[in-house]
Amino acid sequence: YKLSQVNGNYCIGHAEVLLSRKIIALKDVIGNLVWGGRQLWPMSRRIMVLMAVMALIGSVLPACLAIVTRYLINTVSDITNGGTQEIGRVVYPVLLTLLVITLQSICTAVSTYLSQLFKENNNLKISCLILEHSAKLNLAFFEDTKKQDILEHVRQNGISHFSLGFISVLNFSSDLIKLVSLSAILVVIEPLVALIIIPLFFPYLVFKVRLTRNRYTIHHNQVLKKRWVQYITGLLTTPEKVAEIKLLNIAGYFIEKF
């Protein structure tokens, strides 16, 4: 689903168009992410900036760890080949390695905390916006069969999609920086190995894209079935409705439909 802002009011818009497609076009995805970011920015601009900084630091640390590890290995190799016992030369690269590992742990912990804080802060505010707009909608909107899938998406933890969208963009950007930085280091260290390994990234990327699109298609196609399952289960398990079902003796009908 997507919330759109029209004349200062938040309403459920573009959702019918998006849900009618099995695969959302890349242009729509980018547009939705940009729009969602604009809605989140006034709510949590400080947290978003901190999350972006931590994502940037976390994306650079693997390359730093690779560099200091290579430095440590080269130092140990020089000492071993030289036949000397200069153990003091190893202390500095070991400390650098431990420092980078410690920074990685701290960065991961801080990022996890900021993500949780970001979700809780935005989910509450977005929930209020949805409830305020829901109170303004006519009864016909909720009774329209074409709108049921949209409402089901909103009920299925749709509020968290805003926060998860921004977090997913950060994770994707961080992974991309890691890939580029580590590839650059590999090219400098072992150019021949890099020529063999780097082209393998592209088939993996294609596989991940197809897997994501298939997951979206499966999830989209299951919305109507899930809604019917919840409806029939509610009829046969809710105390207020079970009495009528037993009185009319129609439980078998719904079980057959189930």
Side-chain angles (χ1 to χ4, degrees):
Y1 81 102
K2 179 185 176 185
L3 292 175
S4 61
Q5 188 177 16
V6 180
N7 296 329
N9 295 324
Y10 289 86
C11 65
I12 300 176
H14 300 288
E16 186 173 350
V17 177
L18 295 176
L19 294 177
S20 64
R21 305 178 186 176
K22 290 185 177 181
I23 299 176
I24 298 180
L26 179 60
K27 182 179 179 181
D28 292 332
V29 174
I30 296 176
N32 293 341
L33 290 174
V34 172
W35 181 88
R38 291 176 179 174
Q39 308 309 314
L40 293 173
W41 180 252
M43 302 178 187
S44 307
R45 59 170 60 91
R46 293 182 180 178
I47 300 178
M48 293 175 69
V49 171
L50 290 175
M51 290 176 64
V53 172
M54 297 308 299
L56 179 60
I57 296 174
S59 62
V60 175
L61 287 178
C64 296
L65 181 61
I67 293 173
V68 296
T69 302
R70 181 171 182 265
Y71 177 40
L72 174 61
I73 294 174
N74 290 340
T75 303
V76 174
S77 178
D78 292 341
I79 294 175
T80 303
N81 295 334
T84 60
Q85 301 296 328
E86 300 178 10
I87 305 299
R89 292 178 54 189
V90 185
V91 175
Y92 182 65
V94 168
L95 291 177
L96 282 178
T97 304
L98 293 176
L99 176 62
V100 174
I101 294 175
T102 303
L103 289 177
Q104 278 187 316
S105 301
I106 295 174
C107 184
T108 301
V110 174
S111 297
T112 302
Y113 169 74
L114 290 175
S115 297
Q116 293 296 329
L117 184 63
F118 182 68
K119 292 177 184 178
E120 294 176 1
N121 182 52
N122 293 325
N123 289 354
L124 178 61
K125 295 180 180 179
I126 294 173
S127 298
C128 292
L129 294 176
I130 292 178
L131 294 177
E132 290 174 0
H133 177 70
S134 177
K136 299 176 183 179
L137 293 174
N138 297 325
L139 180 61
F141 179 89
F142 297 94
E143 295 179 342
D144 189 350
T145 56
K146 296 181 180 180
K147 302 296 190 300
Q148 297 307 309
D149 286 347
I150 300 174
L151 294 172
E152 186 63 23
H153 271 274
V154 176
R155 297 189 195 101
Q156 291 181 358
N157 202 22
I159 299 169
S160 64
H161 292 172
F162 277 85
S163 302
L164 292 177
F166 178 72
I167 294 173
S168 297
V169 171
L170 286 182
N171 292 336
F172 174 78
S173 303
S174 178
D175 292 341
L176 186 61
I177 295 175
K178 291 178 184 177
L179 178 62
V180 173
S181 59
L182 292 175
S183 298
I185 294 174
L186 185 60
V187 170
V188 174
I189 298 176
E190 293 290 345
L192 295 179
V193 176
L195 292 176
I196 299 174
I197 295 179
I198 292 178
L200 298 178
F201 293 153
F202 296 99
Y204 176 74
L205 179 62
V206 173
F207 167 75
K208 292 291 290 185
V209 171
R210 290 182 177 178
L211 180 62
T212 303
R213 295 172 70 177
N214 290 336
R215 284 180 176 175
Y216 168 77
T217 302
I218 293 173
H219 176 73
H220 174 268
N221 293 336
Q222 289 178 343
V223 173
L224 181 60
K225 295 179 180 179
K226 289 180 179 179
R227 187 156 52 85
W228 274 109
V229 169
Q230 292 176 358
Y231 172 72
I232 296 175
T233 304
L235 285 177
L236 299 179
T237 58
T238 304
E240 293 80 3
K241 299 177 181 179
V242 169
E244 297 179 3
I245 297 295
K246 289 185 175 295
L247 179 64
L248 299 174
N249 194 24
I250 55 177
Y253 171 79
F254 287 106
I255 293 175
E256 182 181 353
K257 288 292 183 181
F258 184 82

